[in-house]
Amino acid sequence: MDATNEVKIGVRELRSNLSHYLSLAAEGTTVLVTSRDVVVAEIKAPAPKQDLRRRRGGLKGRIWMAEDADILPEDVLQAMEAPKF
């Protein structure tokens, strides 16, 4: 973490000027909140949202399928068929 892009403040200071420190965080500054000189919280802007939609060809070259993957063995095929009376 870049020390020039963070601010250390006490809990009392945070309570007094919450809006100011939230706007700093929104601008990219990391606000470290301390209690008795121990960091107890970190306030920063949320990470950018990731696009989780699937994309065509996204797994190209990473998946392999056998040539006979769509052929059922005869015993499995017979087990799936309805019994003949």
Side-chain angles (χ1 to χ4, degrees):
M1 191 177 316
D2 187 11
T4 60
N5 203 21
E6 67 183 30
V7 175
K8 250 186 189 181
I9 59 165
V11 174
R12 189 173 292 160
E13 173 68 17
L14 177 66
R15 284 185 193 153
S16 298
N17 298 303
L18 180 61
S19 296
H20 170 70
Y21 291 111
L22 289 177
S23 65
L24 283 178
E27 294 169 1
T29 302
T30 300
V31 179
L32 301 174
V33 183
T34 62
S35 177
R36 298 183 179 156
D37 294 325
V38 175
V39 176
V40 295
E42 187 176 295
I43 302 172
K44 58 185 177 180
K49 272 192 164 179
Q50 294 180 348
D51 186 12
L52 299 177
R53 292 180 290 172
R54 291 183 277 180
R55 292 190 172 94
R56 180 179 297 178
L59 295 176
K60 186 174 184 177
R62 297 169 61 187
I63 294 178
W64 173 84
M65 188 175 293
E67 293 290 327
D68 62 348
D70 60 342
I71 301 172
L72 287 175
E74 190 63 34
D75 58 333
V76 174
L77 188 57
Q78 288 176 0
M80 293 172 56
E81 290 179 353
K84 296 178 184 175
F85 295 104

